[in-house]
Amino acid sequence: MASATTTSFASLRFSSKLAAAAREHSAEMAQRGYFSHDSANGTSFDKRISRYYSISGKHYWSVGENLLWSSPDVDAVGALNMWLNSPEHRKILLTARWREIGLSAVHVASASGTYGGREVTIVTADFGVRRQRPRQIRRRFRVAIMICRGSLLLSRVGDTLFPRRL
């Protein structure tokens, strides 16, 4: 008897910041006639996305991206099926840590460069997760316990123990 494995994923929220990054990248690829995760000037995709989806003040930040172009057109179901049928793209789609998504589709009647003058639709999907630095719990007390022999001091601040050598 075969057993089915189910994986639970958190719901994705729409992110206007990730959508802006996706929109800018789709438009740039269409205008300049290239197809790559990197920007036309060579900037890596994570640095490009960070201009819109800020890292500052975050304890944890991670992004992923799927791209596709199709001629002449592609709908949402078609794009999703193409990504699901590609192991690399499927892995990004099914990454459980993503919490936000931004999407963009640009249609061009005659795209130059890589697209050979064809009518194309270029789709960018940017995924991300950001977590704030945990706020330090400020307490009016500190408990310090001196362990016998005086070689180790444990200071308890909030709910975290920080071992320190004397």
Side-chain angles (χ1 to χ4, degrees):
M1 180 179 228
S3 68
T5 303
T6 60
T7 305
S8 178
F9 293 99
S11 296
L12 292 176
R13 293 181 308 272
F14 173 77
S15 166
S16 61
K17 294 174 191 275
L18 287 172
R23 187 172 39 257
E24 180 266 332
H25 193 56
S26 291
E28 180 184 70
M29 288 189 294
Q31 182 181 33
R32 295 189 178 213
Y34 78 99
F35 187 74
S36 173
H37 289 287
D38 293 342
S39 294
N41 68 5
T43 301
S44 65
F45 86 96
D46 58 322
K47 289 190 191 302
R48 171 178 45 80
I49 292 171
S50 73
R51 291 193 325 251
Y52 297 89
Y53 191 69
S54 177
I55 299 171
S56 94
K58 305 300 184 240
H59 175 68
Y60 181 80
W61 181 93
S62 180
V63 293
E65 179 171 80
N66 276 347
L67 304 174
L68 76 81
W69 70 271
S70 183
S71 180
D73 208 353
V74 64
D75 62 9
V77 172
L80 184 59
N81 284 332
M82 284 186 232
W83 285 331
L84 288 172
N85 288 317
S86 161
E88 289 178 20
H89 294 95
R90 181 183 183 85
K91 182 178 177 182
I92 291 170
L93 279 174
L94 299 179
T95 298
R97 74 176 167 270
W98 304 137
R99 296 296 177 262
E100 298 180 284
I101 186 171
L103 297 163
S104 172
V106 173
H107 186 82
V108 182
S110 179
S112 62
T114 297
Y115 311 105
R118 291 185 287 264
E119 181 179 3
V120 297
T121 300
I122 303 165
V123 182
T124 301
D126 287 336
F127 304 90
V129 58
R130 300 183 290 185
R131 294 192 188 111
Q132 296 290 344
R133 285 196 162 92
R135 288 191 303 174
Q136 285 188 328
I137 300 171
R138 296 180 189 236
R139 306 242 184 209
R140 292 183 181 209
F141 61 89
R142 281 184 186 218
V143 178
I145 304 169
M146 185 71 87
I147 304 298
C148 291
R149 300 191 182 112
S151 62
L152 181 66
L153 176 71
L154 292 177
S155 296
R156 183 177 169 122
V157 179
D159 297 319
T160 307
L161 290 175
F162 302 96
R164 295 186 300 174
R165 291 276 170 208
L166 292 177

